[in-house]
Amino acid sequence: MHLLLTLVQDMILAAIPAVGFALVFNVPPRALVYCAAGGAIGHGVRMLLLAAGVPIEWGTLFAASLVSFLGVYYAQKLRAHPKVFTVAAMIPMIPGVPLFTTLLAIVEIQRSGYTPELFSTALSSGLKAAFIVGALAIGLAMPGLIYYRRRPIV
Amino acid sequence: MTPTQPNVPQDRVPAGSEAGLEAADQQEVTRLCVESAVMLMQHGAESTLVESVARRLGEALGVERIEVAIMANAITLTSLHEGRCITTVRRIQDHGINMHVVTEVQRAMLCVEEGSLDRAGYRKHLSEIHPYRYPRWLVVLGIGLSCACFARLAGADLASCGVVFVASSVAMAVRQQVSAMHFNPFIAFFASAFVATSIAGWGAILRIGATPRPAMAASVLLLVPGFPLINAVSDMVKGYINTGLSRGMMAILLSLATCGGILLAMTAWKVWGWL
């Protein structure tokens, strides 16, 4: 019961940023609801996988692939490329904090000198950010890599 | 040109146009293709989509083959028809991500493929696409709420989320204003990060909310270049290494500009919320 409540809260909190950033990307109004659904499903599935002990990169890859396969179906109904709304749905999973932590740690090494702690912060959060972004992009590309190999999705 | 066209089977000639393509017609098709490709590229479509739309459009308009070379800030496109080549280059200027334009261009291309739109109709349709933009206040509100949700997901309390809402909304308004004044995007990101961290930092100084650290982190998340980062990796996965690298580098440099703004604000107000 507690897990279900956390899941619902997590999905709502992920759907709002997906729509918020869809506004920045000027996603057509009709597709906004798909952004919200994709953001909620992706982040919710990843949260469940993380709770089950799956590493974050693999959880992200699975969640992104799932959203992308669902996106293909709605893209064909909408007559638009799935990336039009699936990228906005990935925004809640983008590792923004690790990305900025890496760069700030690097700048800090330059400002106040090398320490092993700063270096390890830079390296570990940088790798985390890179792997999660990679998992998101490859997950989104999954329908094209697996199923629509030599033909267009829309 | 000659009335006989041994290379073109009759069924390849699209309905609504007279049989075969004169050089002038081919030139127009080439222009339509490159203009569609440029529109897609300028508004943030990935390279695979740009290439496939240009190629499918050209073939639907009756050209035998279209070849596209995409670079980070230019597109070269060649059409081949009956042994004749026409090549043209267009410069790409970034117009910001706009999925509405991408959708419209692709739908028009699909109409041409289905035969419900001919060349003249496509040209008219293309010239009538005006980038749709959401009203600025709505975007500001949406981004403020989004960053507040990020803060909540990171475990901030409600008061801190309120601080984040204000900080990100104001930062987004600053970013829009600086961009509208045609400043370089790096300056827009730097200024916006400074404003966001200043407001979140003052929230921490005035002890609004018990969780200042996630608040300071979340308040700048509107500046994460998520779309370029994802496009960069998917371009590279699909074999467009050079556009992928330049998109990725652009994203990293924008993030560095953001870090500059964060650091300046943290130094100026003597609040340390990161690392």
Side-chain angles (χ1 to χ4, degrees):
Chain A
M1 193 58 212
H2 178 250
L3 184 71
L4 193 70
L5 214 65
T6 323
L7 179 68
V8 170
Q9 191 194 10
D10 186 87
M11 287 173 81
I12 294 171
L13 285 177
I16 296 170
V19 175
F21 278 82
L23 296 178
V24 179
F25 303 151
N26 298 297
V27 173
R30 274 186 59 209
L32 284 180
V33 59
Y34 302 134
C35 293
I41 293 171
H43 206 273
V45 166
R46 184 173 84 163
M47 196 214 87
L48 284 182
L49 289 173
L50 292 185
V54 176
I56 189 161
E57 310 82 38
W58 290 101
T60 308
L61 182 70
F62 182 81
S65 318
L66 182 70
V67 172
S68 191
F69 273 107
L70 293 175
V72 168
Y73 176 71
Y74 288 105
Q76 285 165 349
K77 274 179 46 173
L78 198 70
R79 284 161 64 82
H81 194 266
K83 283 251 167 120
V84 164
F85 52 90
T86 48
V87 174
M90 293 298 109
I91 291 294
M93 292 195 275
I94 290 264
V97 175
L99 177 72
F100 288 151
T101 305
T102 310
L103 295 172
L104 284 169
I106 292 171
V107 175
E108 203 45 33
I109 289 174
Q110 185 267 329
R111 265 194 349 166
S112 56
Y114 171 88
T115 62
E117 292 77 36
L118 276 179
F119 188 69
S120 99
T121 308
L123 197 62
S124 58
S125 44
L127 286 172
K128 187 175 169 194
F131 274 83
I132 296 177
V133 169
L136 286 173
I138 295 172
L140 281 187
M142 212 51 113
L145 298 173
I146 303 288
Y147 193 61
Y148 294 89
R149 287 191 300 273
R150 296 207 48 121
R151 58 204 168 97
I153 291 174
V154 179
Chain B
M1 282 286 154
T2 50
T4 52
Q5 290 138 7
N7 293 333
V8 189
Q10 278 306 305
D11 58 353
R12 287 284 300 275
V13 178
S17 73
E18 58 280 17
L21 282 178
E22 303 273 339
D25 299 322
Q26 188 188 347
Q27 193 171 40
E28 202 198 340
V29 172
T30 313
R31 285 190 181 144
L32 286 175
C33 288
V34 82
E35 269 149 31
S36 314
V38 165
M39 271 182 107
L40 290 175
M41 200 70 187
Q42 278 175 334
H43 293 101
E46 58 170 356
S47 303
T48 332
L49 182 67
V50 175
E51 181 165 355
S52 83
V53 166
R55 176 166 286 160
R56 287 165 68 185
L57 177 69
E59 284 169 7
L61 289 175
V63 170
E64 281 166 20
R65 250 169 76 193
I66 295 279
E67 300 290 347
V68 194
I70 304 174
M71 283 159 277
N73 42 22
I75 288 184
T76 312
L77 186 141
T78 295
S79 68
L80 292 91
H81 193 71
E82 293 168 16
R84 207 167 40 213
C85 282
I86 298 181
T87 298
T88 181
V89 180
R90 291 290 183 282
R91 184 84 169 80
I92 295 166
Q93 276 170 332
D94 193 13
H95 284 197
I97 295 159
N98 194 319
M99 287 302 120
H100 166 253
V101 175
V102 174
T103 313
E104 287 299 316
V105 172
Q106 192 177 16
R107 281 190 188 152
M109 183 275 288
L110 289 173
C111 287
V112 175
E113 262 190 351
E114 288 161 2
S116 61
L117 210 58
D118 62 358
R119 197 165 73 216
Y122 184 79
R123 185 178 45 214
K124 186 162 174 292
H125 197 110
L126 205 64
S127 65
E128 279 169 0
I129 296 176
H130 295 296
Y132 176 79
R133 288 190 189 285
Y134 285 99
R136 275 164 68 166
W137 62 268
L138 185 64
V139 177
V140 165
L141 208 67
I143 287 299
L145 274 175
S146 302
C147 289
C149 286
F150 283 139
R152 189 70 185 158
L153 278 173
D157 60 11
L158 285 176
S160 294
C161 288
V163 173
V164 173
F165 176 75
V166 176
S168 315
S169 308
V170 177
M172 191 64 204
V174 168
R175 178 176 152 191
Q176 287 174 337
Q177 189 54 41
V178 176
S179 304
M181 290 156 82
H182 298 290
F183 277 101
N184 186 301
F186 297 117
I187 296 177
F189 275 62
F190 179 85
S192 180
F194 178 79
V195 170
T197 306
S198 295
I199 297 175
W202 272 99
I205 293 171
L206 301 174
R207 300 190 181 286
I208 306 172
T211 47
R213 282 178 78 93
M216 282 181 78
S219 65
V220 288
L221 287 181
L222 73 152
L223 299 167
V224 179
F227 215 110
L229 277 174
I230 289 184
N231 264 349
V233 182
S234 40
D235 271 5
M236 286 197 264
V237 170
K238 292 167 188 173
Y240 299 86
I241 303 281
N242 56 2
T243 50
L245 283 177
S246 46
R247 284 187 216 247
M249 198 65 214
M250 188 68 191
I252 290 174
L253 290 181
L254 285 174
S255 310
L256 263 177
T258 308
C259 284
I262 298 173
L263 269 177
L264 183 66
M266 290 199 301
T267 322
W269 313 118
K270 299 192 176 55
V271 274
W272 195 257
W274 288 78
L275 299 177

